[in-house]
Each structure stands twice: as C-alpha cells, then as structure tokens.
Amino acid sequence: MISDSQLYSLALFLGGASVLLIVLYHYLEINAENTDDLSEERKADAVPVKAAGKVKS
C-alpha cells in the first residue's frame, strides 16, 4: 500500500511536471514559425476592418 508521504511526493512531482510541460508547450507555440498560407477569406477574417466613423454601443 502507498503511504501518505509517498502519495504526497508523487502528487508534487506530477503537478510540477505538468506545469513545466504546459510552460514548455506555450513557449514552443509562441515561437513557432507560421508557414500556413492563408486563403483570401481567412486573411479578411484575420485583419479587422476599421468602422467608417460609426461606433456601435
């Protein structure tokens, strides 16, 4: 049977490992080079169009 101290150590290790993996994933995702060519439709969605002087409230 696993003791409380072993369970505590396992939980700390797995929690720390998951945090490190999440940080690594975000670092790699942010620094990844984007090589996808966007279609014209997707380019229109990606760039916001300025309103013609009217502001919706």
Side-chain angles (χ1 to χ4, degrees):
M1 192 80 183
I2 190 168
S3 69
D4 288 343
S5 62
Q6 289 173 329
L7 185 61
Y8 177 74
S9 297
L10 181 64
L12 283 179
F13 172 75
L14 293 176
S18 64
V19 168
L20 289 175
L21 288 173
I22 290 169
V23 169
L24 176 65
Y25 170 78
H26 284 288
Y27 174 78
L28 294 174
E29 186 67 26
I30 288 172
N31 292 318
E33 292 195 16
N34 189 4
T35 59
D36 295 338
D37 292 332
L38 296 178
S39 65
E40 292 301 319
E41 182 179 319
R42 296 247 349 248
K43 284 180 185 175
D45 289 341
V47 179
V49 178
K50 219 177 207 182
K54 293 186 178 182
V55 177
K56 291 183 180 180
S57 55

